[in-house]
């Protein structure tokens, strides 16, 4: 008689059955999400390899070439101080992506632990945290960022901190709601019966089941942070000159909008496409991480 082979647990779950594979498969089928990802990759490539894509200095002025129209020498023209617009745009991508990512990290670092502990333990701690969150949410996010940056002062670093602080209540509410739903599941009750500590239950059993909403919200929040940063710079309380920041470029070029429209057109389009890229990818991730949405398609 032939030998009977027993499948090991690792072989029982095929690659096509894994959750990660299903998410990626669904995401690849979403054309708009792939378009958003492609747009983001272009901006990331430009930001990383900016020194190799241009020979011009993004800060050095040349008043003899001020406000030139697009030409072979300056493919997107020059600004009001003679600086190459293409150079400032790709270096500006570095600034915008840095602001968006670090602001979200600040919001995650504070909001996720607060939301997780608030939702899991409840009681007085939850009441205190939620009242503080209510106070912060009472201010529109951009207004709260304006208050913080006014206190801290201008500059890219302070803008990142201000937007990060304004993001904290968003993540606190989101994670608290997810934890409240997950902690009622049977596997959490089983972990408590087995004597597993609350710390390990939160980290190993609850938070992995809350990652989907956090990832999706972070994608949207990066776009929001970039938009807010541009707005703060546009009204004069964000990045300082001569930083190649898109909102600051818009503010500088608005007085020449009739004679040199390229000074505002290109920074505006850069903000539009980068924010659109994150939003399209976020929409795709939201659908891909939702099992009900995957089953419909």
């Amino acid at each position: 008689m032939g030998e009977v082979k027993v499948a090991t647990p690792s072989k029982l779950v095929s690659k096509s059955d894994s959750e990660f594979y299903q998410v990626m498969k669904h995401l690849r089928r979403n054309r708009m999400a792939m378009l958003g990802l492609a747009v983001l990759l272009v901006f990331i490539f430009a930001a990383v390899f900016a020194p190799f894509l241009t020979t011009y200095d993004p800060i050095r002025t040349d008043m003899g070439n001020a406000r030139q129209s697009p030409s072979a020498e300056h493919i997107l023209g020059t600004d009001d101080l003679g600086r190459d617009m293409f150079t400032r745009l790709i270096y500006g991508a570095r600034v915008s992506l840095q602001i968006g990512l670090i602001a979200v990290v600040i919001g995650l670092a504070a909001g996720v632990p607060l939301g997780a502990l608030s939702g899991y333990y409840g009681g007085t701690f939850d009441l205190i945290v939620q009242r503080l969150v209510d106070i912060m949410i009472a201010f529109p996010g951009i207004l709260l960022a304006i208050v913080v940056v006014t206190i801290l002062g201008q500059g890219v670093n302070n803008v990142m901190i201000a937007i990060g602080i304004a993001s904290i209540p968003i993540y606190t509410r989101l994670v608290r709601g997810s934890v409240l739903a997950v902690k009622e599941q049977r596997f959490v009750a089983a972990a408590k019966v087995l004597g597993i500590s609350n710390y390990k239950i939160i980290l190993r059993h609850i938070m992995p089941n809350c990652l989907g909403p956090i990832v999706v919200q972070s994608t949207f929040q990066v776009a929001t942070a970039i938009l807010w940063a541009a707005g703060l710079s546009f009204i004069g309380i964000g990045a300082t000159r001569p930083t190649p920041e898109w909102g600051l470029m818009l503010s500088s070029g608005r007085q020449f909008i009739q004679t040199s429209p390229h000074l505002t057109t290109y920074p505006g389009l850069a903000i539009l496409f980068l924010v659109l890229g994150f939003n399209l990818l976020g929409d795709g991730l939201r659908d891909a991480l939702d099992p009900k949405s995957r089953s419909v398609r």
Side-chain angles (χ1 to χ4, degrees):
M1 296 178 64
E3 183 180 354
V4 177
K5 295 183 179 180
V6 180
T8 60
S10 61
K11 294 182 180 180
L12 292 176
V13 179
S14 64
K15 177 182 177 182
S16 60
D17 292 329
S18 68
E19 179 68 16
F20 177 77
Y21 179 83
Q22 292 297 328
V23 170
M24 296 306 298
K25 179 181 178 181
H26 186 88
L27 187 63
R28 288 196 299 267
R29 290 179 176 177
N30 190 321
R31 294 183 180 179
M32 298 307 294
M34 289 296 97
L35 175 60
L37 179 60
V39 171
L40 294 182
L41 290 177
V42 170
F43 278 102
I44 293 171
F45 178 85
V48 172
F49 296 101
F52 303 99
L53 299 177
T54 179
T55 58
Y56 294 101
D57 189 317
I59 297 177
R60 184 178 179 181
T61 61
D62 182 8
M63 296 304 298
N65 290 320
R67 290 188 286 138
Q68 286 190 2
S69 299
S71 62
E73 184 178 3
H74 301 282
I75 58 175
L76 297 182
T78 60
D79 67 3
D80 56 316
L81 297 178
R83 297 169 296 196
D84 183 68
M85 285 291 293
F86 175 74
T87 300
R88 287 182 62 78
L89 282 175
I90 59 176
Y91 275 92
R94 282 186 170 187
V95 177
S96 293
L97 288 170
Q98 178 186 9
I99 291 174
L101 294 175
I102 294 181
V104 166
V105 168
I106 293 173
L108 285 169
V112 170
L114 280 175
L117 295 175
S118 179
Y120 185 79
Y121 288 106
T124 303
F125 179 78
D126 180 37
L127 182 64
I128 295 173
V129 170
Q130 293 312 306
R131 294 300 74 78
L132 292 174
V133 168
D134 288 339
I135 294 172
M136 297 180 71
I137 291 181
F139 297 91
I142 185 64
L143 181 58
L144 181 59
I146 290 174
V147 172
V148 176
V149 81
T150 302
I151 296 172
L152 298 177
Q154 288 182 261
V156 173
N157 292 335
N158 290 339
V159 168
M160 291 186 292
I161 295 172
I163 297 175
I165 292 174
S167 303
I168 291 175
I170 297 174
Y171 286 107
T172 303
R173 280 282 179 88
L174 174 69
V175 175
R176 176 181 179 270
S178 299
V179 170
L180 286 174
V182 175
K183 79 172 187 177
E184 300 299 328
Q185 300 296 321
R186 292 182 178 179
F187 64 86
V188 176
K192 291 180 179 179
V193 171
L194 292 174
I196 299 176
S197 66
N198 291 327
Y199 174 77
K200 290 183 178 180
I201 290 176
I202 293 174
L203 286 184
R204 296 182 181 180
H205 300 280
I206 294 180
M207 291 311 299
N209 290 281
C210 301
L211 287 179
I214 294 174
V215 170
V216 174
Q217 181 60 46
S218 297
T219 307
F220 290 127
Q221 199 60 33
V222 172
T224 301
I226 292 171
L227 201 57
W228 285 0
L232 292 174
S233 297
F234 184 80
I235 62 177
I237 60 173
T240 57
R241 300 174 187 271
T243 305
E245 199 277 332
W246 293 339
L248 193 58
M249 293 169 66
L250 276 173
S251 180
S252 300
R254 59 180 172 175
Q255 58 183 317
F256 307 108
I257 194 168
Q258 293 184 341
T259 57
S260 303
H262 66 280
L263 298 184
T264 52
T265 299
Y266 297 130
L269 288 175
I271 296 171
L272 169 65
F273 285 119
L274 184 56
V275 171
L276 180 63
F278 275 109
N279 285 334
L280 289 177
L281 180 60
D283 284 335
L285 285 172
R286 181 176 55 194
D287 293 340
L289 290 169
D290 184 3
K292 294 181 180 180
S293 177
R294 294 205 302 265
S295 63
V296 171
R297 296 191 179 188

